[in-house]
Amino acid sequence: MAATIDAVRDAFLELSMGHFVQPQRLVFADGHALVMTAHHTPSRSTVVKTLSIEPGRDPVITGTVVYSDPDTQFTANAAPLTAMRTGAVVGVATDLLADAGASHLALIGAGAQALDQVRAVHAVRPLRKLTVHSRTPAKAEALLEELSLELPGTALDTASSAADAVSSADVVCTATPATDPLFPAEALPERVHVNAIGSYLPGMRELPEELLTTCDLLVVDEVAAALAEAGEIIHAVQAGTLPVDRLVELGAAVGDPPIARGRTVFKSVGVGCQDWAVARLLSRPSSSG
């Protein structure tokens, strides 16, 4: 995960420098089918990912990632790669925006993305406590059991509500398909970093509008992608409570790190350069160890 975080951080910095051609994601069948691509001009390398998403299916995500450059072609299962790259971008944002001593993560959602969310935050902010809330308590318990071997020195607990989970956290990760905010803004501590990665369609919303409009810093993976797909952002912008110029792109923040204080938010819908970064890393012989 540490190597993946570094690769994704570098990719976003290159995105901010104009080194990627990255078209808007294609969405079919009300979000049940997605196609993403990115071309890295300096290396003449390209990634294409196709996804099928069925919330009632196990696994929810199926698909394929194809990476190619002038010397290499690499194909991967899209589900674990997507979880890995989504975790990695949260690692980048958490490293950038969370307090240096942050050690308590609240995770909302215990689905396919959850493991790599925890792994990524732990890679940049070693966890002393992890609190998980899921609308299916058995999933939260199973997740904690799986993580117990990876986090032997971490206190592991569940919460009966999202509001209870976030009330004393240093870092929050939401990874759900929610269509309504998961918790009220007042449930959060005054100093906290929040990552929201679950919603990826205009009709989805994990975060309360008040948090977006009052937080000290609001970072997105890419402004154009957020305005097209992030339900929380779209709703607040259309309501006139969130000026677009408050949105800071992650690549720009990596290149010129802000002073983070108060409540900070990273909202990600996922963009092609993340898939490129992880596929390129995995395609190298040395990465197989």
Side-chain angles (χ1 to χ4, degrees):
M1 180 55 76
T4 308
I5 290 170
D6 288 343
V8 169
R9 181 187 293 112
D10 290 345
F12 272 94
L13 184 58
E14 288 207 64
L15 177 65
S16 71
M17 297 166 64
H19 292 175
F20 281 95
V21 179
Q22 185 170 270
Q24 184 67 37
R25 173 163 53 197
L26 295 176
V27 180
F28 304 103
D30 296 325
H32 289 275
L34 306 176
V35 179
M36 304 174 65
T37 185
H39 177 71
H40 183 241
T41 53
S43 64
R44 294 186 292 147
S45 54
T46 302
V47 69
V48 178
K49 181 171 76 172
T50 61
L51 290 181
S52 168
I53 302 174
E54 295 293 339
R57 181 182 64 195
D58 186 15
V60 173
I61 292 176
T62 59
T64 303
V65 176
V66 177
Y67 167 87
S68 60
D69 61 34
D71 302 310
T72 309
Q73 181 166 308
F74 174 78
T75 303
N77 182 345
L81 188 145
T82 298
M84 185 183 296
R85 62 82 141 147
T86 306
V89 78
V90 160
V92 174
T94 301
D95 195 28
L96 188 68
L97 301 173
D99 277 347
S103 62
H104 179 192
L105 169 64
L107 174 66
I108 314 301
Q113 303 285 341
L115 273 171
D116 281 317
Q117 293 292 297
V118 176
R119 289 165 176 158
V121 173
H122 184 60
V124 298
R125 296 292 187 275
L127 295 175
R128 290 200 295 265
K129 184 175 182 180
L130 169 64
T131 304
V132 178
H133 168 73
S134 171
R135 62 182 182 181
T136 307
K139 283 190 174 183
E141 294 287 356
L143 176 67
L144 291 181
E145 183 176 353
E146 187 169 359
L147 283 166
S148 62
L149 295 177
E150 296 187 35
L151 304 173
T154 303
L156 307 176
D157 198 7
T158 62
S160 59
S161 71
D164 286 344
V166 306
S167 62
S168 60
D170 303 312
V171 180
V172 174
C173 290
T174 65
T176 77
T179 55
D180 294 302
L182 296 165
F183 50 81
E186 58 264 26
L188 292 164
E190 288 303 310
R191 175 63 181 121
V192 65
H193 172 62
V194 179
N195 300 294
I197 61 93
S199 63
Y200 62 95
L201 294 171
M204 294 179 169
R205 292 170 63 196
E206 293 186 290
L207 302 182
E209 184 175 331
E210 183 184 352
L211 174 61
L212 300 182
T213 58
T214 62
C215 66
D216 289 83
L217 188 62
L218 177 53
V219 177
V220 297
D221 37 21
E222 188 180 46
V223 169
L227 293 176
E229 299 176 348
E232 299 95 336
I233 303 291
I234 293 169
H235 182 272
V237 169
Q238 290 180 345
T241 58
L242 178 64
V244 173
D245 62 9
R246 283 205 62 213
L247 304 178
V248 178
E249 291 194 333
L250 181 58
V254 168
D256 185 15
I259 298 174
R261 55 173 65 90
R263 293 172 175 171
T264 57
V265 175
F266 173 58
K267 172 59 197 170
S268 175
V269 294
V271 293
C273 72
Q274 294 167 250
D275 299 304
W276 173 88
V278 179
R280 183 170 183 261
L281 182 67
L282 294 174
S283 72
R284 296 173 177 174
S286 61
S287 69
S288 62

